[in-house]
Structure formats: C-alpha cells, structure tokens
Amino acid sequence: VQLQASGGGLVQAGDSLRLACASSGDTSSRYTVGWFRQAPGKEREFVSAIRWSGPVTWYADSVKGRFTISRDNAKKMVYLQMNSLKPEDSAVYYCAADRHLINSAVRIPDQYDYWGQGTLVTVSS
C-alpha cells in the first residue's frame, strides 16, 4: 500500500484546512488509517484514526471537537478536516495504514505498517 498525504499549508489561527490521504496499491484489504503529527523536537503523536468501515473513529483529546476524520473507500481517500486551528497544531502531518490493528493499538505509531510522506501544516498566531 502506498499512501500520499496532501493539503497542508500556512494558515492563521482559527482557520481551517482539510488534509487528504490517497492510497494506492493493495487496497482490497480493510485498512485502518491513522493521522499522526510531528512538531520539531517532539515525538510523533496520534491525531485521529478511522476503521475501514468508517463509523468507528478515534481522536486525540487535543483535537476532539475541532478535527473530523472521514473516508471514501470508493475513492481510496481518507480526509482530516481541521477547524479552529491553533498554533500548537503546527506540525508535519502523516497518514498511516494497517490491516490488523486492535482498538488499543490505533494510537501507537509503531503499530502501523504503511506510512505516507508528511504534509506541513503551519498555523500562525
């Protein structure tokens, strides 16, 4: 599976962005897709994840109520709608996928087998 993240940019605090994660290759399996982010000097942290079926989602407490994850399996896309952005949301955002994640593992970066390149989000104050 190949993943490609896009949609990052420079915005002001309070603005919105929508990130997209496009998948290609073996997409016949039912992958869980997660979004992670990494700010300079910090560890990669979990942002959100979604099961292949769509309705089951997870969010980090720091983004709950502001970010929404969704997927379009027909288009092989996963989206992260980010509203009310804050400067502390600035980071490189990565999408990742895995077929065999149990619920307790979706927030752990090392549990994902496939990663896309990152897309930079910068939020100015």
Side-chain angles (χ1 to χ4, degrees), residues 30-69:
R30 298 176 176 180
Y31 290 87
T32 293
V33 175
W35 284 98
F36 293 81
R37 65 187 182 188
Q38 188 166 20
K42 295 187 177 181
E43 293 186 352
R44 191 167 297 190
E45 67 172 356
F46 171 79
V47 177
S48 184
I50 187 168
R51 287 291 190 200
W52 75 273
S53 60
V56 182
T57 58
W58 294 263
Y59 294 95
D61 288 343
S62 59
V63 306
K64 199 172 296 183
R66 299 188 298 123
F67 291 10
T68 303
I69 192 170

Side-chain angles (χ1 to χ4, degrees), residues 6-19 37-40 66-67 82 84-93 118-125:
S6 62
L10 172 63
V11 298
Q12 293 185 332
D15 286 350
S16 298
L17 276 176
R18 189 177 80 155
L19 304 184
R37 65 187 182 188
Q38 188 166 20
R66 299 188 298 123
F67 291 10
M82 306 187 298
S84 303
L85 283 162
K86 305 175 181 179
E88 51 264 43
D89 293 319
S90 297
V92 177
Y93 283 71
T119 185
L120 178 63
V121 173
T122 304
V123 184
S124 63
S125 57

Side-chain angles (χ1 to χ4, degrees), residues 106-125:
V106 296
R107 299 171 185 266
I108 305 172
D110 290 348
Q111 297 296 310
Y112 287 77
D113 285 339
Y114 305 101
W115 288 82
Q117 92 294 350
T119 185
L120 178 63
V121 173
T122 304
V123 184
S124 63
S125 57

